[in-house]
Amino acid sequence: MIGGSGVYDLALLEDTQRIEIASPFGAPSGPVTIGTIAGVRFAFLPRHGEGHRIPPEGVNYRANIDVLKRCGVTDLIAISAIGSLREEFAPGSFVAVDQFIDRTSGRDGSFFGEGLVAHVSLADPVCPRLSSLAADAAQAAGAKVHRGGCYLAMQGPQFSTRAESRMYRQWGVDVIGMTGMPEARLAREAELPYALLGMVTDYDSWRDGEHVEVDQVVQVMHANAALARRTVNELARLLPPERAGSPIDHALDNAIMTAPAKRDRALISRLDAIAGRLAL
Ligand SMILES: CSC[C@H]1O[C@H](OP(=O)(O)O)[C@H](O)[C@@H]1O
Ligand SMILES: Nc1ncnc2[nH]cnc12
């Protein structure tokens, strides 16, 4: 699990171990905590680091996913604070996001590049099985849950202007945040089924006379902290004892374009965790 704003630890984890893992993609947000809940092994990483040190544009998304992959993670659930662009997605409710629009810029958005070109499909960026499990867990924990929603990833760190917020509504966007991209696209390249469970903390600035302020976000986040914790607990209980395979486990099978003789050996060795399975 990757925890977002307000979710800096998984208090329910038992038999925990904190591990500092190095990544060829640079420094991750911090050590990974590994432990169990109801017999299920979880690895947890707070996206903004302990004490919320790292801004959304400064998160090393590649290193975070790389180190989780190195821990043996098979499925990735991200928790995020989100603003709502729809009246019926009220603050306090949860949204199991199923689509993204990426308006971020200047972030490293791929593990691949010159010397090893790859194109994975991102038509359906979220794993339906994992997303539905996350939604079931939030519902069992007592949350009001919306299944499906389009998340616009903005660059931040400032919140949107009123004109942007209203334009995003016209685009059919449901919720907004600053971190879902490039996280979701990198998870797909890493062949990790990904789900994003958003906690609505505010109505973004599209309503007359209202605008989002961080104190309001923090207030709703704190009010929701216990619910988020119960959700993780329920999730551990809902996960099937045997993990079913997913087509996302093989997302890279037909993705590599670069001819074997032209491949960059240094890049291939950096990709040992992400694409080692392919024996490039
Ligand atoms: C604290 S409001 C803005 C901040 O919260 C969200 O973070 P995360 O997605 O990690 O929960 C949003 O994306 C911004 O980074
Ligand atoms: N309104 C908003 N815009 C961007 N990110 C957010 N995170 C929580 N609320 C947000």
Side-chain angles (χ1 to χ4, degrees):
M1 300 199 75
I2 292 183
S5 294
V7 183
Y8 308 112
D9 62 61
L10 283 190
L12 300 163
L13 276 185
E14 293 169 349
D15 304 320
T16 56
Q17 242 187 313
R18 266 163 64 95
I19 336 176
E20 303 260 6
I21 306 165
S23 165
F25 294 96
S29 297
V32 177
T33 304
I34 297 189
T36 56
I37 306 175
V40 180
R41 300 277 291 158
F42 279 87
F44 177 77
L45 182 59
R47 186 188 281 128
H48 300 280
E50 281 161 9
H52 205 123
R53 281 178 305 109
I54 310 169
E57 72 281 12
V59 171
N60 189 338
Y61 297 92
R62 291 196 302 183
N64 285 355
I65 289 185
D66 179 72
V67 298
L68 290 173
K69 190 87 183 174
R70 283 175 199 281
C71 290
V73 162
T74 56
D75 300 86
L76 184 51
I77 296 185
I79 301 188
S80 271
I82 49 175
S84 169
L85 291 157
R86 279 176 64 163
E87 196 75 53
E88 60 272 37
F89 286 15
S93 63
F94 284 41
V95 181
V97 164
D98 64 353
Q99 274 300 334
F100 289 92
I101 293 177
D102 191 355
R103 292 258 304 163
T104 66
S105 55
R107 304 183 184 185
D108 288 323
S110 177
F111 289 105
F112 297 88
E114 188 167 343
L116 194 66
V117 177
H119 302 281
V120 294
S121 168
L122 210 57
D124 299 301
V126 157
C127 167
R129 169 185 63 92
L130 202 58
S131 188
S132 139
L133 269 170
D136 291 347
Q139 207 166 329
K144 162 95 182 137
V145 181
H146 304 279
R147 290 168 190 263
C150 178
Y151 173 118
L152 183 133
M154 62 177 291
Q155 175 67 356
Q158 303 85 359
F159 292 114
S160 317
T161 65
R162 212 177 283 289
E164 285 165 339
S165 195
R166 289 180 176 161
M167 178 180 71
Y168 299 150
R169 272 167 58 78
Q170 286 182 6
W171 287 0
V173 174
D174 300 305
V175 298
I176 184 162
M178 303 178 190
T179 62
M181 284 290 192
E183 198 171 82
R185 59 175 79 246
L186 292 167
R188 178 59 53 88
E189 285 190 345
E191 301 186 322
L192 287 175
Y194 179 85
L196 192 153
L197 192 58
M199 297 191 283
V200 180
T201 50
D202 54 275
Y203 283 116
D204 199 46
S205 302
W206 50 275
R207 292 171 25 135
D208 284 337
E210 291 180 26
H211 66 273
V212 50
E213 292 275 7
V214 85
D215 58 345
Q216 171 196 357
V217 171
V218 169
Q219 205 182 335
V220 177
M221 242 161 45
H222 285 156
N224 265 357
L227 197 52
R229 230 170 265 139
R230 281 204 301 280
T231 297
V232 178
N233 198 17
E234 292 293 342
L235 178 71
R237 279 154 229 283
L238 286 173
L239 284 169
E242 288 287 316
R243 178 183 182 273
S246 158
I248 300 163
D249 300 344
H250 302 279
L252 290 173
D253 272 0
N254 300 309
I256 311 283
M257 290 292 289
T258 310
K262 299 290 181 195
R263 293 178 185 169
D264 176 344
R265 301 317 304 174
L267 178 51
I268 289 173
S269 83
R270 263 154 54 98
L271 288 166
D272 60 332
I274 300 301
R277 174 185 85 73
L278 298 178
L280 295 164

